[in-house]
Amino acid sequence: MKIFAVLLPMRDEEKSNVYRPQHLDYLAKLREEGKILANGRFTDGAGGLVIYRADSYDTVKAYVENDPYVVHGARTYHIHEWEMVTGRGPLQN
């Protein structure tokens, strides 16, 4: 498995407020399925970050493009494959 960092920059704050419950429910489902390692908002209001675990970029892109925030134009996104380093070194596959 690979690790992907997905930035979700704010596009429309009003839409973000409207679709937040759906977005959080969607992420909770993916987290329960083991597809998300972590997620959270930026405290400055700039958007948020989701750390996905997946086999490919295309898989993560499909997850992101089904996120209610993205579907409804509340957020844009940037996907980056990421080599996560912990106190013990890079996270192993």
Side-chain angles (χ1 to χ4, degrees):
M1 287 285 193
K2 298 176 182 179
I3 305 294
F4 295 86
V6 178
L7 299 167
L8 294 167
M10 183 69 68
R11 186 175 192 184
D12 185 315
E13 189 172 354
E14 185 176 325
K15 286 182 180 180
S16 287
N17 291 332
V18 169
Y19 294 106
R20 182 174 173 77
Q22 292 174 24
H23 164 74
L24 293 176
D25 287 346
Y26 179 72
L27 295 185
K29 177 181 175 282
L30 293 178
R31 192 178 314 96
E32 288 171 12
E33 295 171 359
K35 297 172 181 169
I36 291 178
L37 294 175
N39 64 279
R41 67 180 187 89
F42 297 127
T43 60
D44 65 0
L49 172 70
V50 182
I51 306 297
Y52 286 95
R53 175 174 259 182
D55 290 326
S56 71
Y57 176 95
D58 289 337
T59 298
V60 173
K61 186 176 179 188
Y63 296 153
V64 173
E65 289 182 346
N66 283 298
D67 183 326
Y69 269 173
V70 174
V71 169
H72 296 286
R75 305 283 177 96
T76 60
Y77 66 88
H78 305 283
I79 302 171
H80 302 275
E81 187 173 342
W82 187 42
E83 184 178 294
M84 188 171 97
V85 177
T86 65
R88 297 181 183 201
L91 184 66
Q92 299 300 311
N93 293 333

